Amino acid sequence: MLMELILTVNIVRNYLDGQKSGPQLNAQLEGWLSQVQSTKRPARAIIAPHAGYTYCGSCAAHAYKQVDPSITRRIFILGPSHHVPLSRCALSSVDIYRTPLYDLRIDQKIYGELWKTGMFERMSLQTDEDEHSIEMHLPYTAKAMESHKDEFTIIPVLVGALSESKEQEFGKLFSKYLADPSNLFVVSSDFCHWGQRFRYSYYDESQGEIYRSIEHLDKMGMSIIEQLDPVSFSNYLKKYHNTICGRHPIGVLLNAITELQKNGMNMSFSFLNYAQSSQCRNWQDSSIAQSSIFMDSSLFY
């Protein structure tokens, strides 16, 4: 019998200033979720941020509030790679992610199907431990699903710096899973990273102060995502070079949707919340923007 590999998720240590226990984290998540409303339209996919919970916890709640645990059995978590160069996507080498709330089990059946395609690499344990884009979504996933915590699995996927053609290939691959109403896709992404430390300082003076320009820039991108058009989203990124760190996972999801639309599936994205870690007013300032977005599909009603 093979020994299960377990990765302990250091959410408490890394993203809650090292001071919060599991019960405190649970209470924090409950507090954020209690402050937002459900649309009563279960999410088929969400785009939610992964900055520190101090900055994005409240924003992310708007997306996770739309998750229906009674119909969700598998959760695909697509996060961008921040620490290692990847030209493809990578799968975890462990079986279980241990969170401060409870353990999340990786779906080895789905992993086996993905691995057989030859399109994936394996994450090293060090990469898995270092990467926060997936890690930040695990406590929220656990919290959103706690009423059915023994009835679902997760499929974490680390997404590399994919070319447009690769985004199309992975989109086509994941489209069959997106078509299944018992699957939920979580795309991990912050929006504009602005300031000298991010080497990005786009500023449209016609919008007013810098933070207003950032918001305008992000909302242009969000509007294109709402159109479900991966080509337009790619062209937007080429024109403005907006530092949306999850642009490749978003591209994969948009391409998966495009594939399903060929079969007549009617999908829509709705933007729920937008926030910035701080309001930039001068060139010395910096900020990371966050947004919560959810997609539903009339196909399943």
Side-chain angles (χ1 to χ4, degrees):
M1 182 175 180
L2 295 176
M3 181 181 296
E4 287 184 330
L5 292 174
I6 300 175
L7 181 67
T8 299
V9 176
N10 294 311
I11 293 293
V12 172
R13 183 193 68 191
N14 292 341
Y15 304 109
L16 288 171
D17 304 320
Q19 300 300 317
K20 293 187 182 293
S21 66
Q24 287 174 306
L25 173 60
N26 184 64
Q28 185 87 80
L29 296 174
E30 283 186 350
W32 285 320
L33 288 166
S34 69
Q35 294 171 19
V36 298
Q37 298 296 316
S38 169
T39 63
K40 305 302 181 185
R41 292 179 290 150
R44 299 289 297 109
I46 61 175
I47 301 174
H50 56 244
Y53 279 178
T54 300
Y55 305 110
C56 79
S58 176
C59 185
H62 289 264
Y64 277 96
K65 189 74 170 185
Q66 316 314 318
V67 175
D68 185 346
S70 70
I71 62 174
T72 303
R73 293 298 171 262
R74 287 166 297 278
I75 300 178
F76 290 74
I77 306 173
L78 277 56
S81 176
H82 288 84
H83 301 286
V84 296
L86 283 176
S87 60
R88 300 190 293 171
C89 294
L91 306 177
S92 177
S93 59
V94 305
D95 301 292
I96 292 172
Y97 282 154
R98 176 160 289 162
T99 81
L101 276 67
Y102 58 86
D103 293 351
L104 301 178
R105 182 173 295 277
I106 293 176
D107 193 313
Q108 296 302 324
K109 178 179 180 294
I110 302 296
Y111 254 25
E113 294 174 2
L114 297 178
W115 188 248
K116 287 178 182 177
T117 66
M119 296 170 63
F120 293 84
E121 302 175 25
R122 285 287 188 191
M123 277 186 263
S124 70
L125 189 60
Q126 188 63 53
T127 296
D128 219 343
E129 290 176 339
D130 290 344
E131 183 54 65
H132 66 282
S133 70
I134 293 173
E135 182 182 45
M136 283 299 302
H137 287 277
L138 302 179
Y140 253 123
T141 295
K143 186 61 184 174
M145 294 295 297
E146 68 176 345
S147 63
H148 291 72
K149 66 180 182 179
D150 298 320
E151 301 172 22
F152 77 100
T153 54
I154 63 170
I155 301 92
V157 178
L158 189 63
V159 180
L162 306 180
S163 64
E164 289 181 55
S165 62
K166 286 291 186 184
E167 289 181 359
Q168 292 172 6
E169 288 178 25
F170 280 102
K172 186 174 183 178
L173 171 65
F174 283 118
S175 65
K176 70 174 184 178
Y177 298 105
L178 182 60
D180 186 337
S182 65
N183 292 338
L184 169 73
F185 274 71
V186 174
V187 170
S188 175
S189 183
D190 297 322
F191 275 72
C192 184
H193 298 58
W194 195 95
Q196 294 179 8
R197 68 190 180 105
F198 301 117
R199 299 180 182 178
Y200 187 74
S201 55
Y202 172 85
Y203 177 32
D204 179 356
E205 294 184 6
S206 70
Q207 298 302 317
E209 297 203 64
I210 293 172
Y211 72 91
R212 295 288 189 188
S213 171
I214 295 170
E215 180 174 358
H216 179 72
L217 176 68
D218 278 338
K219 289 188 174 179
M220 276 196 289
M222 295 175 196
S223 177
I224 292 169
I225 293 172
E226 280 187 313
Q227 297 168 25
L228 306 178
D229 185 347
V231 175
S232 294
F233 184 62
S234 180
N235 289 338
Y236 159 83
L237 293 171
K238 291 174 184 176
K239 181 176 181 179
Y240 294 103
H241 304 283
N242 193 358
T243 47
I244 300 172
C245 55
R247 56 193 176 276
H248 296 298
I250 292 172
V252 169
L253 179 62
L254 291 178
N255 277 283
I257 294 168
T258 297
E259 192 68 24
L260 294 183
Q261 285 177 323
K262 296 175 183 177
N263 297 319
M265 292 192 180
N266 183 21
M267 298 182 175
S268 64
F269 260 126
S270 299
F271 288 85
L272 301 170
N273 188 257
Y274 177 80
Q276 296 173 1
S277 61
S278 62
Q279 292 187 341
C280 295
R281 291 183 165 85
N282 61 63
W283 298 106
Q284 286 70 49
D285 290 340
S286 64
S287 73
I288 301 176
Q290 307 100 38
S291 181
S292 280
I293 309 162
F294 91 105
M295 184 195 80
D296 65 354
S297 174
S298 61
L299 177 72
F300 304 117
Y301 296 109

